[in-house]
Amino acid sequence: MQAVVGVLTILVFTRLLSSTEFGIYALAFSVCSLAHVLVFTWLEAAMARYWAGEATPEGLADLYATLYRVGLVLSLVFIPAAIAVCLLLPLGMEIRLAMAVGLIGVPIRCLLNMVKVALRARGAVRQAAGLDIFFTLAVFILGIAAAWLGLGGASPLVGLLVAPLLALPIALPLERGKQRHGRYNPSRLKAYIAYGYPISMSLSMALILASTDRFMLAWLMNEAAVGAYHASYSIANRTLDIIFLWLGTAGAPALVMALEKGGARALKIAAEDQARILMLVTVPAAVGVALVARPLAEVVIGPELRTASAMVTPWIAASAFLSGWLYYYFNQAFTLSKRTLLLLMSMIIPAIANIALNIILIPKLGLMGAAISTVLGYFIGVLASVIMARRIMTMPLPWKDVMLCSLCAATMAIAVLCLPQIGGFAELMLDAVVGALVYGVLAYGTNAGGVRDLLKRIRDLRLNPEEQAL
């Protein structure tokens, strides 16, 4: 659902909004995301990591009571401060409005995220997914309504503000009673902050790594360039991010549970399994997005932004692939070992490198310079994460499956490049179908990523669901 709505968002808003308005939305969204991560994400991270380790109902109740009460205090401080900043900034009215709308919605989205994190931690996957689907659809529909009302660049952010308010009456009863009789616990709070806030800071570095290019483009070029870049980034990055999110949503709690219940040996088995599946799915996805950049832009992106977006899409696909492996796999070593200060240090390096690369390359290469800077920044991030994690916990990488999946994807690319360029939706579907068939046959034949073993396990679990195990 998120993948479909993500594509529809670009399809609709690049037509309802001008390139400048779309660029204003991209800038405001980046600011709001950074504020969310800096102030609130540590609450969500603490909920995700400490839920599985609570052995008693009383401990779980204290976890809920402490995190929710601190979140309320932060919200009461954050919202007036955000409004004051937006009023005082020496910027145009439209971008200040977009920022204000987005910032006011940040604490509300945090509350919804905490509910979803807790649901996933206790294995209530259907309920968490249902909330995600409802929220995603509501954001999209409300954003379209706001655009029709003439709210310009603030329109998608109106959806992000109102949708959580509609979802919370559904979400909160799912967790009702968990914090009953729970008490605010200062000593617990210190542990949560020590664990969670370095994660927030590292994610801030990740956002700087991901969004520096937009601010640099606005500074060195204009908002229209930001709009073109963000349109391409949204399609390529979101497509890959959905896949990583899909696997990571299940994989991260499973790794935590494996470590908590089975120790280092169980963690290694679970991590190798996750790495194989990630490689099997994400390698062809990244190559596929790069191959269909032109017809995808013709179908999805408005005419005003189409040409520039198609040019940078292959680079964005490469950066999305690297960022997915960085955030959803290699950086798990720091969160699993609770060494989140090292996580922060590992993210500072690529963030600084990305800023320097953007300053150097954007004046020379424009949009392409921003895209190349992002790829190089994430590559540096992966290297930094792997090197620094070797001191505490090594995330295994099955090199045989890396080679097999890469060879299958390379053969798929050759087959797709030999197809006729008929343009538009027809070419997009032709490339997608042929590419999927070629990769699927080769992967199954070579057992790349352990695909045959995986399919057998799925069949066995369907026949004997009571035998499921971590």
Side-chain angles (χ1 to χ4, degrees):
M1 184 60 67
Q2 288 188 18
V4 171
V5 172
V7 173
L8 289 176
T9 297
I10 304 303
L11 180 70
V12 172
F13 286 107
T14 55
R15 288 165 171 82
L16 289 178
L17 305 178
S18 68
S19 58
T20 299
E21 290 174 333
F22 196 76
I24 288 172
Y25 152 66
L27 292 171
F29 179 77
S30 297
V31 170
C32 297
S33 299
L34 185 59
H36 187 148
V37 167
L38 280 171
V39 181
F40 292 99
T41 294
W42 68 271
L43 295 165
E44 303 162 20
M47 178 71 81
R49 181 63 183 89
Y50 283 88
W51 199 100
E54 293 294 348
T56 65
E58 294 78 13
L60 196 60
D62 287 351
L63 169 70
Y64 277 85
T66 302
L67 292 179
Y68 277 116
R69 291 177 192 181
V70 172
L72 177 61
V73 173
L74 287 175
S75 301
L76 293 175
V77 175
F78 178 85
I79 293 177
I83 294 173
V85 169
C86 292
L87 289 174
L88 295 174
L89 281 175
L91 299 173
M93 178 58 70
E94 188 170 359
I95 190 168
R96 285 194 291 165
L97 174 63
M99 287 175 55
V101 170
L103 289 171
I104 292 171
V106 165
I108 310 168
R109 291 196 295 278
C110 173
L111 178 58
L112 182 64
N113 287 344
M114 289 177 69
V115 174
K116 291 191 292 184
V117 163
L119 289 172
R120 293 189 189 110
R122 64 182 174 91
V125 179
R126 288 183 180 273
Q127 293 172 327
L131 279 176
D132 267 329
I133 292 172
F134 178 85
F135 175 75
T136 302
L137 289 172
V139 169
F140 179 60
I141 295 169
L142 290 166
I144 293 174
W148 278 337
L149 292 173
L151 294 181
S155 301
L157 298 165
V158 170
L160 286 171
L161 169 62
V162 180
L165 295 173
L166 299 177
L168 283 174
I170 303 171
L172 290 177
L174 299 176
E175 292 294 284
R176 185 171 53 197
K178 295 294 188 301
Q179 62 171 318
R180 188 174 299 166
H181 309 304
R183 294 177 298 175
Y184 167 77
N185 190 316
S187 61
R188 280 174 172 266
L189 179 60
K190 290 180 182 178
Y192 300 154
I193 292 174
Y195 170 80
Y197 205 73
I199 291 180
S200 288
M201 292 302 297
S202 67
L203 289 175
S204 299
M205 296 299 105
L207 277 175
I208 290 171
L209 181 57
S211 59
T212 296
D213 39 24
R214 293 160 181 76
F215 294 106
M216 291 292 181
L217 286 170
W219 174 39
L220 298 171
M221 298 179 70
N222 51 51
E223 285 83 1
V226 177
Y229 185 83
H230 186 71
S232 172
Y233 197 96
S234 296
I235 291 179
N237 186 75
R238 190 57 175 160
T239 302
L240 272 294
D241 190 55
I242 285 293
I243 296 172
F244 280 107
L245 180 64
W246 164 46
L247 296 170
T249 298
L255 293 180
V256 172
M257 194 66 73
L259 180 61
E260 291 286 343
K261 304 301 182 183
R265 183 174 179 276
L267 173 63
K268 182 180 179 181
I269 295 172
E272 287 179 344
D273 201 29
Q274 185 171 337
R276 290 190 185 93
I277 297 172
L278 279 171
M279 193 62 61
L280 173 69
V281 178
T282 60
V283 169
V287 174
V289 170
L291 288 171
V292 300
R294 180 182 47 77
L296 183 63
E298 291 173 358
V299 172
V300 176
I301 298 176
E304 193 175 351
L305 305 173
R306 185 175 296 163
T307 302
S309 296
M311 178 180 65
V312 298
T313 294
W315 292 93
I316 301 301
S319 69
F321 176 78
L322 292 172
S323 70
W325 274 91
L326 176 64
Y327 301 139
Y328 292 99
Y329 189 70
F330 291 115
N331 279 355
Q332 294 287 336
F334 304 110
T335 55
L336 290 167
S337 61
K338 299 182 182 179
R339 300 291 297 276
T340 50
L341 279 175
L342 284 177
L343 172 61
L344 173 58
M345 293 172 62
S346 74
M347 290 306 303
I348 290 175
I349 297 170
I352 294 174
N354 190 47
I355 293 172
L357 288 166
N358 273 287
I359 293 173
I360 295 169
L361 296 180
I362 288 178
K364 297 179 180 180
L365 302 175
L367 292 179
M368 190 65 75
I372 294 173
S373 298
T374 304
V375 173
L376 293 176
Y378 280 120
F379 180 73
I380 293 170
V382 170
L383 288 180
S385 179
V386 170
I387 292 171
M388 296 183 70
R390 291 176 65 182
R391 298 168 51 189
I392 52 171
M393 181 183 294
T394 300
M395 298 298 287
L397 197 61
W399 286 106
K400 176 183 176 182
D401 295 289
V402 172
M403 296 300 298
L404 286 174
C405 292
S406 299
L407 287 172
C408 292
T411 307
M412 175 191 75
I414 294 172
V416 171
L417 290 172
C418 292
L419 297 174
Q421 297 185 4
I422 56 180
F425 183 76
E427 182 179 347
L428 178 62
M429 288 296 99
L430 178 64
D431 290 351
V433 171
V434 171
L437 286 174
V438 170
Y439 182 84
V441 170
L442 290 174
Y444 189 85
T446 59
N447 198 29
V451 62
R452 291 203 299 264
D453 304 326
L454 176 64
L455 293 175
K456 182 179 182 300
R457 286 164 54 195
I458 293 172
R459 287 194 298 267
D460 291 344
L461 287 173
R462 286 179 175 175
L463 293 174
N464 301 291
E466 69 279 359
E467 295 182 5
Q468 293 189 47
L470 286 174

